[in-house]
Amino acid sequence: DEQIDVGVRIGLIRDNGFIARKVANVGLFLTASPLLLAKHHIPQGLEQLAELPTTALMDKATGRAWHWYFKEGQPWSPKKISFVADDSETEADATLAGLGVSQLASCMAIPHLRSGALVRLLPELDPNPWPLSVYRPQRGPVPDRVRLVFDALITALSDREIFPELP
């Protein structure tokens, strides 16, 4: 019905109509550019974070910004949104350009953290990592092309080097 052969998702898959295989964990890191931090301050907690410009990732289904999540699943809504995107790569680009603080998936943030283009903020508030899953519909015989792509994605995304931890 949803015309999905194979999908990849960060987060829980709540639809029982899919077969899902968890392949990795993805952290969520609070990040900012050195440029932004030079203009403002490094937040020491959520109260100070609320004073900084932030980016927001738009939920296409609702038209609202996604909440950020912190330790023990605590949701938080950015207060001073300076940039809104509907895809995570554009949000990461805005963060790199110094437009706001962002909560980025670890797989997107780590290369920029290692290069110094981004700074990690408040790591003590990081939420538990979210599952990265490959999924497909549960319906009856699976075409060979779907099984091939499903299995190839599981193999490729299960490689721990794709989602390395920070040293």
Side-chain angles (χ1 to χ4, degrees):
D1 292 341
E2 296 181 38
Q3 299 185 359
I4 294 173
D5 288 327
V6 177
V8 177
R9 178 172 173 83
I10 295 174
L12 298 174
I13 297 176
R14 293 182 171 94
D15 188 334
N16 290 337
F18 292 108
I19 303 267
R21 284 273 311 269
K22 179 184 167 199
V23 294
N25 288 314
V26 177
L28 294 173
F29 295 165
L30 196 60
T31 62
S33 73
L35 175 66
L36 181 117
L37 296 174
K39 291 179 185 176
H40 297 280
H41 59 275
I42 296 176
Q44 300 302 309
L46 293 180
E47 301 79 25
Q48 290 183 2
L49 178 62
E51 299 168 4
L52 297 177
T54 58
T55 66
L57 188 60
M58 188 66 58
D59 180 347
K60 292 178 188 177
T62 66
R64 295 186 185 134
W66 288 99
H67 292 292
W68 292 2
Y69 289 92
F70 291 103
K71 195 172 187 173
E72 299 175 11
Q74 175 187 3
W76 188 82
S77 296
K79 308 295 182 249
K80 291 188 172 184
I81 298 173
S82 62
F83 184 86
V84 178
D86 65 0
D87 72 87
S88 55
E89 290 177 9
T90 302
E91 183 183 28
D93 289 343
T95 310
L96 289 162
L99 297 179
V101 175
S102 298
Q103 190 175 54
L104 300 176
S106 57
C107 51
M108 294 186 77
I110 287 173
H112 302 298
L113 293 168
R114 286 188 173 151
S115 74
L118 290 179
V119 175
R120 190 171 175 190
L121 304 173
L122 304 172
E124 67 278 7
L125 296 180
D126 284 351
N128 290 333
W130 288 25
L132 174 78
S133 301
V134 177
Y135 64 96
R136 66 173 176 77
Q138 202 171 28
R139 65 178 181 260
V142 178
D144 289 341
R145 64 181 171 74
V146 171
R147 184 168 305 286
L148 178 70
V149 171
F150 185 77
D151 292 344
L153 283 170
I154 288 171
T155 299
L157 296 175
S158 293
D159 183 355
R160 296 299 297 157
E161 290 303 309
I162 293 175
F163 304 102
E165 295 296 319
L166 279 173

